[in-house]
Amino acid sequence: MKPVSSNEPAICVEGLDAGYADKVIFDRLSFQVERGELFVILGGSGCGKSTLLRLLIGLKSPSAGRILINGVDITTADEMAMNGVRTGIGVLFQSGALFGSMTLAENVALPLKEYTNLSPDAIERVVAMKLAMVSLAGHENHYPSELSGGMVKRAGLARAMALDPSILFFDEPSAGLDPITAAELDQLIKDLNRGLGTTVVVVTHDLESIMTIADRVIMLDGKKKGIIAEGDPRELKMHSQDPLVQSFFNREPLKTVL
Amino acid sequence: MEDHGIPVISLSGEKGGDILLSLSGRLTLENLEMVDRELRSQLAGLAPASLTVDLAGVDYLDSAGALVLVLLEKGDGSSRTIPQRFVNVTPQAERIIALLNRLDLNSQHLKSVEHFSIFEYAGEATFYIIRGFRHIMTFFGELLVAPFHAVRHPRLVRWDAVFVQMKRVGVDGLPIVGLISMLVGVVMAFMSALQLKQFGADIYVASLVGVAIVKELGPMMTAIIVAGRSGSAFAAEIGTMMINQEVDALVTMGLNPVRYLAFPKVLAAILVVPLLTMYSFIFGIGGGMLVGVLGLDLTVFTYVQQTLKAISTFEVVSSLFKSAVFAALIAGIGCQRGFQARGGAEAVGSMATSAVVSAIFLVIVADSAFAIVLHYISN
């Protein structure tokens, strides 16, 4: 919603320690996401991808380290500063997380009503635009239960984009979708990233998606409690020497010595 | 010219010809309406044939800001369109405008908002009641068969679930049942003492409290508390399982959801609610005794003796039987409402509410029936 300085990185994670109870998931994790980048966090099941996403969107607190979103450290920010950060980010949850009791228009209008002083007419126009952006023009009065899985995700994306956030987070966008719908959603993510200049962070393990959309990836490993590979996914697939990275990108079982 | 990024609009050119529209500042969601209003009012007087939009002074443009400009050309369905071209556009702004230009911004709603007439509402409500009644009948039919199945296959009954539910319905409810019953006993004793004292009949406070608690208030108060605590919990738990397709999973595994989910809950309630009712008798009578002993100078012995004289074993047993029936109704309707949940979180909430309201209604109807039947039996 608010313009941000184009010099600073969109996201900066420094020396992050996090975990659950006595289980350490990240040990001194550090990385940056540049502005306008389409950045993918990948890794096998249980490596901490979803935990990292929860940390980045402020739903979980780390035990140490800093997370800077648009230059604001969300680990120390007070409620007011956090609200400023929240209006600058949008999140598409795995299930879409639309409110079932509201129509699509009401779902998308919710952040606009909460954070702006726009009149109902102006909100209606912005909602129509956001729904058109995700190819749901005319579906204003539909309820989520009347839509397919792919449409629900796109509507969730329209809601996430309602305030024109500078960063969009996606949790497993292609999960549960057929290949055509998943490809359409990938294309949409790419179009929005290129068209609106939005920084996009995607958490996924879908190889097709990663290869199609990612500018840069980091690969997490549960055993090493951090990043094991970072860079262009096509480069990593071709040149990485790490057996886990090789197995992941070539979709092969990990070779273990018997 | 510009203050804190507030957009400034300037127009030049001849009326009816090509107008140069120069914008500066920030065009964002926050000032969408202001820019839109200003642009339309200024352009209305000029009736331009075409527009040249100069974005040289614009430091920030988001999709909402671009929408205002794009709608000038594409129209918003209510105003005429004005052909336009953009100059001095940053690559980023150009991409946003191009993205918006590709969109269908004036599409008709594919589904209109539903407005029902009173007759349609009445019709819908009637069908809802009929469907609900059919669902209740089917559910209670299956529930009645479940005990026979349990007798034939006792090992298939989920006894662990029964014990967990007995704890949740019974043990966890002890503090609130005890407290409310005691307060009801205190209030009853106070109110009756005010009247009976005038006739020197203080001792009958014990009889009145004893009879009221054992015959009506004990089973009724316990049932209402169980309906509020456990009836709603059963509906919410099974309702959430319905929404998450867990019940569908049970069906595909060949397990009967009523036998698997509802029967242990209903059985646990039937076993434990009479015990809770007994407990409520003790606390209700205890509350009355507190007032009798401390306020009316009665001894504990006299109070207990008078209470025992006033209530019969038949009354105690019939009340406990009544409370078992209440338990079956509360747990049954709670589970049934849960199985009726469709859609999302809202449905779970409304079914939990419906479970409590229906349970209290059924308890009162059943209590009335018991009152009539017991009247004739005891005479």
Side-chain angles (χ1 to χ4, degrees):
Chain A
M1 192 154 102
K2 292 179 183 64
V4 284
S5 161
S6 56
N7 301 326
E8 68 194 5
I11 299 169
C12 183
V13 175
E14 292 170 359
L16 194 73
D17 289 354
Y20 293 99
D22 55 350
K23 190 186 177 205
V24 177
I25 294 180
F26 299 122
D27 182 22
R28 311 288 301 158
L29 182 75
S30 298
F31 66 91
Q32 280 193 0
V33 181
E34 301 305 328
R35 203 153 292 287
E37 195 173 24
L38 215 160
F39 184 81
V40 174
I41 299 167
L42 57 91
S45 300
C47 70
K49 298 189 298 290
S50 297
T51 304
L52 181 55
L53 182 72
R54 289 179 66 79
L55 286 158
L56 293 177
I57 59 179
L59 292 179
K60 181 175 165 57
S61 300
S63 43
R66 299 201 315 155
I67 302 169
L68 283 91
I69 304 287
N70 288 330
V72 179
D73 185 356
I74 62 167
T75 60
T76 55
D78 58 19
E79 200 50 35
M80 203 180 223
M82 268 314 284
N83 274 341
V85 172
R86 285 181 187 124
T87 57
I89 65 171
V91 185
L92 174 61
F93 290 95
Q94 204 176 111
S95 63
L98 292 178
F99 302 114
S101 57
M102 296 181 185
T103 62
L104 293 202
E106 288 165 342
N107 265 287
V108 180
L110 183 69
L112 295 165
K113 284 181 184 162
E114 288 296 318
Y115 286 106
T116 70
N117 295 318
L118 295 178
S119 67
D121 274 358
I123 288 178
E124 200 180 316
R125 265 185 287 155
V126 175
V127 166
M129 173 184 69
K130 299 293 174 183
L131 287 175
M133 275 184 180
V134 296
S135 306
L136 285 175
H139 286 79
E140 279 85 347
N141 295 326
H142 282 90
Y143 283 90
S145 58
E146 297 169 327
L147 304 178
S148 67
M151 290 163 98
V152 166
K153 288 214 176 177
R154 280 188 277 142
L157 177 54
R159 187 181 66 185
M161 296 192 312
L163 295 172
D164 263 292
S166 60
I167 308 172
L168 270 173
F169 293 92
F170 293 81
D171 187 10
E172 305 275 7
S174 52
L177 299 181
D178 66 84
I180 298 170
T181 313
E184 284 170 356
L185 192 60
D186 285 346
Q187 190 57 48
L188 182 62
I189 293 170
K190 220 168 159 177
D191 287 348
L192 293 172
N193 167 253
R194 306 285 186 253
L196 298 175
T198 314
T199 307
V200 173
V201 177
V202 181
V203 168
T204 186
H205 50 213
D206 184 335
L207 270 177
E208 289 280 330
S209 279
I210 294 163
M211 289 303 179
T212 313
I213 63 174
D215 291 332
R216 195 161 64 89
V217 301
I218 53 169
M219 185 166 175
L220 303 176
D221 180 25
K223 282 184 191 150
K224 300 214 171 128
K225 299 177 178 40
I227 298 168
I228 53 162
E230 182 171 358
D232 184 313
R234 290 149 288 262
E235 292 283 318
L236 288 178
K237 184 178 180 179
M238 299 291 284
H239 305 300
S240 175
Q241 300 299 311
D242 190 303
L244 186 62
V245 178
Q246 274 301 313
S247 295
F248 186 93
F249 280 106
N250 294 315
R251 213 171 174 275
E252 288 168 345
L254 193 60
K255 293 178 186 72
T256 47
V257 181
L258 292 172
Chain B
M1 278 289 284
E2 175 197 322
D3 184 28
H4 303 301
I6 292 169
V8 177
I9 300 163
S10 68
L11 293 157
S12 59
E14 285 187 14
K15 191 175 176 181
D18 182 54
I19 301 290
L20 175 66
L21 164 64
S22 302
L23 291 156
S24 57
R26 278 174 18 203
L27 295 179
T28 65
L29 186 65
E30 286 134 328
N31 48 43
L32 164 80
E33 274 190 302
M34 194 260 276
V35 173
D36 189 38
R37 208 171 33 241
E38 196 64 24
L39 269 177
R40 284 179 194 280
S41 72
Q42 290 194 29
L43 287 170
L46 291 167
S50 61
L51 261 184
T52 302
V53 184
D54 184 355
L55 298 179
V58 173
D59 358 285
Y60 184 77
L61 178 84
D62 67 10
S63 67
L67 178 69
V68 176
L69 304 176
V70 170
L71 282 181
L72 282 177
E73 181 173 45
K74 294 179 91 174
D76 59 2
S78 60
S79 55
R80 90 182 170 88
T81 59
I82 308 167
Q84 60 184 200
R85 67 189 181 91
F86 292 91
V87 293
N88 296 320
V89 192
T90 61
Q92 184 55 42
E94 199 171 349
R95 281 197 290 269
I96 296 178
I97 292 166
L99 180 74
L100 261 59
N101 269 325
R102 290 202 300 270
L103 303 179
D104 175 13
L105 296 172
N106 293 322
S107 66
Q108 294 297 308
H109 292 183
L110 298 171
K111 181 189 162 197
S112 54
V113 179
E114 290 172 346
H115 294 288
F116 288 116
S117 72
I118 189 159
F119 296 109
E120 282 172 305
Y121 266 123
E124 278 286 321
T126 310
F127 277 118
Y128 179 79
I129 291 167
I130 292 169
R131 278 198 303 268
F133 182 72
R134 206 164 52 193
H135 196 270
I136 289 174
M137 284 295 116
T138 315
F139 173 80
F140 275 98
E142 284 187 54
L143 199 60
L144 284 175
V145 175
F148 298 106
H149 185 268
V151 170
R152 273 188 290 141
H153 310 283
R155 288 182 62 192
L156 293 180
V157 177
R158 294 170 61 223
W159 293 109
D160 52 343
V162 174
F163 292 129
V164 167
Q165 293 301 336
M166 283 173 77
K167 187 222 168 236
R168 284 189 193 155
V169 178
V171 180
D172 295 353
L174 286 175
I176 189 71
V177 169
L179 180 67
I180 288 186
S181 302
M182 180 169 232
L183 291 175
V184 167
V186 167
V187 171
M188 283 284 303
F190 256 125
M191 300 309 288
S192 53
L194 285 175
Q195 301 300 321
L196 294 172
K197 225 176 179 180
Q198 293 174 31
F199 307 104
D202 294 8
I203 187 68
Y204 290 110
V205 167
S207 312
L208 201 147
V209 170
V211 170
I213 293 282
V214 169
K215 287 184 82 171
E216 280 301 324
L217 292 176
M220 185 67 93
M221 293 307 299
T222 309
I224 289 172
I225 294 166
V226 170
R229 285 186 74 255
S230 305
S232 57
F234 293 164
E237 184 185 329
I238 296 179
T240 309
M241 292 180 79
M242 285 292 292
I243 307 294
N244 292 338
Q245 295 185 306
E246 290 172 46
V247 175
D248 292 345
L250 281 176
V251 174
T252 56
M253 283 189 270
L255 297 167
N256 181 318
V258 174
R259 271 207 300 268
Y260 193 82
L261 295 173
F263 181 63
K265 292 180 171 59
V266 176
L267 181 61
I270 290 172
L271 292 174
V272 90
V273 171
L275 298 176
L276 263 185
T277 306
M278 281 284 278
Y279 177 79
S280 121
F281 291 167
I282 295 163
F283 273 78
I285 292 168
M289 189 157 62
L290 214 63
V291 174
V293 173
L294 298 177
L296 302 173
D297 295 332
L298 298 173
T299 64
V300 173
F301 179 75
T302 322
Y303 192 95
V304 171
Q305 205 177 32
Q306 187 61 29
T307 304
L308 292 175
K309 218 192 299 180
I311 51 177
S312 65
T313 314
F314 174 75
E315 282 165 349
V316 173
V317 172
S318 62
S319 271
L320 294 181
F321 176 73
K322 190 161 76 170
S323 70
V325 174
F326 290 170
L329 289 172
I330 294 164
I333 203 74
C335 295
Q336 187 273 333
R337 288 291 190 253
F339 283 117
Q340 253 188 319
R342 299 283 183 285
E346 197 188 20
V348 177
S350 64
M351 283 305 153
T353 308
S354 172
V356 177
V357 174
S358 308
I360 292 175
F361 171 74
L362 286 175
V363 163
I364 291 172
V365 170
D367 193 46
S368 312
F370 269 110
I372 297 165
V373 172
L374 290 174
H375 173 76
Y376 285 109
I377 291 176
S378 57
N379 289 327

